[in-house]
Every structure is written in structure tokens, then in C-alpha cells.
Amino acid sequence: MNRRDSLKAIGFGTLSAGLLLEACKTDTKKTPEKAAPATEAAAGRQPFEVERDKKLNADKFFTEAEMATITVLVDIIIPKDEKSGSATDAKVPDFIEFIVKDMPQHQTPLRGGLRWLDLQCLNRFGKTFTDSSHAQQIELVDLIAYPNKAKPEMAQGVAFFNRMRDLTASGFFTSEMGVKDIGYAGNQPTKWTGVPADILKHYGMENV
């Protein structure tokens, strides 16, 4: 299954428009090599906005173990292919870490969902999600990735995976790598070549 193409084909159908807009406005550079001085506001940013983002970047929400699980999961959702890198290559885990601090309503559902994954893997395979084999990870993900096919007892996992998929797609397709992946070129300058010949002929001005 080409999960990247599936996400593009549905036009981000599962995405929250609000989330995508917030992602576009959010500064996702989590670990700059050198933090800019407080007086050096980025172009179009107010100093208080720069300070706020610096504080969010400095704080940590997820544990190392949780970030390891997120890293594996986002690369299952958007793996590397011949065209682009994976979600991790686009720094989606960092994006998610930032978003849960910027939008705290994601914190409890994501932390609970990560715990749910581990409990499911421990019950099924005797290992946590990250310690399970790739085949075992995919086996579990396939049980929660398709809401219309999922069993009722998997509802918590389905809700968690939907949220994680939304965040992964938002992080990837608003990154430089993701923008290139979908071929978005942005506004392009046009070249004026004059009034079209058929229009000039229609008004009898072709020889003017």
C-alpha cells in the first residue's frame, strides 16, 4: 500500500482545516543551530511571537520512549519512496512535539494513544511497539488505520491513529520536502505575449 499516494489522493480528507492552517502559520524549526536574539524578530513576526516560539521549542512534552514510538509510526504513515524522504526525514516528529505544546488539546489523546499501542503490543507480542518487529507493527496499525473496517473494541486506537495521521500529513505536506512532493510551485510570474491572435482577428485588428 502506498500510504503517501493515499493521503494525496483523498485530498487530505481526514485533515482538520483548522489544524492545517495552524500548521502553516506555526514555526516548526524546533532545534535551530543558534537561537536568534530576542531583539531579532523574524520577518513579519512580532518580538513576543518569537519569544513564545522559543519557549515552546525549549520545553519538552514527550518522553524519549514516546518520541521513539512517534518516529516509527509517522514513517509507517509516510514512508520514504523514490520521490521523497519519509516523515522523519521531513522532521515530522519535531513538528508533532511542537504542535502538542502549541495546541495542548492534543496532549492527552496522543499520550493515551501511545500507551494504548504499547499495551496492545505487549498483549499480542509480549513487546512494546518499538520493540516489536516491523511486520508486527504493521499488523497492529492495519487494525486501526481503516475506520470503516475496524472492530468496535479498537475504537480508541482508531481515534488515536486518525489524529496521528492528520498531524503527520500536516507536518509532512507543509514542510519543504512535502511541498516539493506534491509539486506545488506557488505563485509564478507570467509572461505577456500580447493580445491573442484570434481576439485581434475577431475585432478586425489583426493588421494593426
Side-chain angles (χ1 to χ4, degrees):
M1 173 186 179
N2 190 324
R3 298 176 191 272
R4 184 200 309 275
D5 285 346
S6 296
L7 285 169
K8 289 191 289 186
I10 63 176
F12 312 126
T14 62
L15 288 179
S16 159
L19 171 62
L20 189 56
L21 288 173
E22 287 297 326
C24 291
K25 294 186 288 185
T26 298
D27 180 2
T28 59
K29 296 180 180 179
K30 319 296 179 307
T31 54
E33 294 182 4
K34 184 177 180 181
T39 55
E40 294 182 14
R45 309 291 304 283
Q46 294 296 316
F48 76 89
E49 294 176 309
V50 175
E51 284 300 318
R52 174 181 174 278
D53 284 0
K54 283 174 62 179
K55 182 180 185 304
L56 289 176
N57 286 329
D59 293 340
K60 295 294 180 185
F61 175 74
F62 291 116
T63 66
E64 290 186 9
E66 289 170 334
M67 284 300 290
T69 301
I70 290 171
T71 297
V72 172
L73 194 55
V74 299
D75 279 352
I76 289 175
I77 296 171
I78 301 184
K80 182 177 182 179
D81 64 11
E82 68 283 352
K83 185 176 181 181
S84 298
S86 67
T88 296
D89 292 329
K91 302 193 181 303
V92 170
D94 291 342
F95 170 86
I96 293 174
E97 164 70 22
F98 184 87
I99 284 293
V100 298
K101 294 176 295 189
D102 188 42
M103 304 171 71
Q105 65 268 30
H106 292 297
Q107 293 180 2
T108 298
L110 287 185
R111 176 155 281 162
L114 292 169
R115 180 59 178 162
W116 182 92
L117 276 185
D118 276 345
L119 289 174
Q120 288 291 321
C121 286
L122 286 167
N123 290 335
R124 293 167 184 271
F125 315 124
K127 307 172 185 176
T128 63
F129 184 77
T130 52
D131 288 336
S132 300
S133 68
H134 181 69
Q136 290 169 334
Q137 292 167 351
I138 295 298
E139 178 183 331
L140 179 57
V141 166
D142 282 345
L143 294 176
I144 58 178
Y146 309 98
N148 293 334
K149 297 180 180 180
K151 295 179 180 179
E153 60 267 28
M154 306 301 282
Q156 182 180 351
V158 170
F160 162 71
F161 190 79
N162 283 345
R163 187 182 297 263
M164 183 62 72
R165 178 166 45 203
D166 289 354
L167 288 166
T168 300
S170 294
F172 184 84
F173 290 109
T174 56
S175 70
E176 181 179 357
M177 181 182 294
V179 168
K180 291 179 179 178
D181 186 276
I182 61 177
Y184 178 68
N187 294 328
Q188 299 292 309
T190 57
K191 183 179 180 181
W192 172 250
T193 58
V195 180
D198 59 329
I199 300 299
L200 289 173
K201 185 176 181 179
H202 176 77
Y203 288 99
M205 302 177 66
E206 64 270 27
N207 297 319
V208 174

